[in-house]
Amino acid sequence: DAKTTQPTSMDCAEGRAANLPCNHSTISGNEYVYWYRQIHSQGPQYIIHGLKNNETNEMASLIITEDRKSSTLILPHATLRDTAVYYCIVKGASNTGKLIFGQGTTLQVKP
Amino acid sequence: NAGVTQTPKFQVLKTGQSMTLQCAQDMNHEYMSWYRQDPGMGLRLIHYSVGAGITDQGEVPNGYNVSRSTTEDFPLRLLSAAPSQTSVYFCASTMTAYSGNTIYFGEGSWLTVV
């Protein structure tokens, strides 16, 4: 599975959009990009995932560049409850099903 | 639909004791797995199962045992607890191990070995 690079930390004002970048320059054609977040050592919460096209759900939007070497998770209207560690994970067709969690981005939403 | 349920949520063990962490899912997922997370670190895969009767080792399997007798349940056994096994344990499940499926996690089991 391809390695991902994320900024260590980011701040965002409450009510504003939070844009979290992720670099995955070695991604291969059949690998998906997943985003999870973890709040205070709770279980990782699934946010969104995608392969090539941009994706949107009730939580967030995922923008994947045309060359698939990077992506951005967008939380459209961040709230204080969105303060968490956000993990960008690339997962391929591995029969172990393993998700490789890096250090993630600590997003601090401020009033 | 309860998703992935883990029990107990908190447990304190003495060195050398054994115990079982329970994991159950009600989504008819074939794939289930166990991770551990140590302070300030990412999750590491302990064991996984691609279906009832099939289990395999992840990256940190030593000191743990698993079985998968039903689709719904995937218990993790600590055979002889050691302080190094103090950690938070997460169970995860998904339809299959392959790409494109949503992977769901339980809320975690906090284990302290003294």
Side-chain angles (χ1 to χ4, degrees):
Chain A
D1 297 334
K3 183 174 178 174
T4 62
T5 304
Q6 300 177 251
T8 303
S9 63
M10 293 181 64
D11 289 341
C12 177
E14 188 177 20
R16 296 294 187 105
N19 296 277
L20 290 85
C22 180
N23 182 285
H24 31 78
S25 57
T26 61
I27 194 169
S28 60
N30 63 352
E31 291 181 319
Y32 282 74
V33 179
Y34 285 79
W35 282 85
Y36 282 81
R37 71 182 183 184
Q38 196 172 22
I39 301 172
H40 296 310
S41 292
Q42 296 176 15
Q45 180 186 20
Y46 167 79
I47 302 173
I48 199 166
H49 73 280
L51 182 62
K52 296 180 182 177
N53 300 321
N54 298 337
E55 302 287 345
T56 296
N57 63 20
E58 64 278 5
M59 287 184 68
S61 295
L62 174 60
I63 308 299
I64 303 174
T65 58
E66 193 168 343
D67 63 7
R68 301 187 70 238
K69 293 183 183 299
S70 65
S71 61
T72 301
L73 177 74
I74 301 172
L75 307 178
H77 304 288
T79 71
L80 298 179
R81 288 179 295 180
D82 291 321
T83 293
V85 179
Y86 287 77
Y87 296 99
C88 169
I89 301 166
V90 170
K91 182 180 180 301
S94 164
N95 62 359
T96 71
K98 183 170 76 172
L99 291 175
I100 301 174
F101 286 80
Q103 293 303 306
T105 296
T106 299
L107 174 68
Q108 183 73 46
V109 181
K110 298 185 175 182
Chain B
N1 186 338
V4 180
T5 303
Q6 292 183 231
T7 57
K9 195 168 182 66
F10 300 98
Q11 183 72 49
V12 179
L13 283 181
K14 293 182 179 179
T15 297
Q17 285 185 320
S18 62
M19 78 156 297
T20 299
L21 301 177
Q22 302 290 346
C23 177
Q25 52 88 12
D26 60 359
M27 297 173 280
N28 202 31
H29 286 168
E30 292 182 0
Y31 177 91
M32 297 183 73
S33 59
W34 279 101
Y35 290 82
R36 61 176 286 174
Q37 185 175 32
D38 299 319
M41 296 183 65
L43 280 70
R44 293 183 292 170
L45 182 66
I46 305 172
H47 284 285
Y48 65 96
S49 168
V50 297
I54 306 169
T55 64
D56 208 341
Q57 297 180 350
E59 58 184 304
V60 288
N62 292 340
Y64 305 96
N65 201 1
V66 292
S67 59
R68 185 94 180 270
S69 56
T70 67
T71 299
E72 294 78 19
D73 301 298
F74 190 44
L76 178 72
R77 297 183 187 85
L78 280 72
L79 308 174
S80 177
S84 61
Q85 293 178 303
T86 294
S87 191
V88 184
Y89 292 84
F90 294 103
C91 180
S93 78
T94 185
M95 186 57 67
T96 72
Y98 298 103
S99 295
N101 295 306
T102 301
I103 303 154
Y104 299 93
F105 285 82
E107 285 303 306
S109 295
W110 275 253
L111 176 66
T112 301
V113 182
V114 297

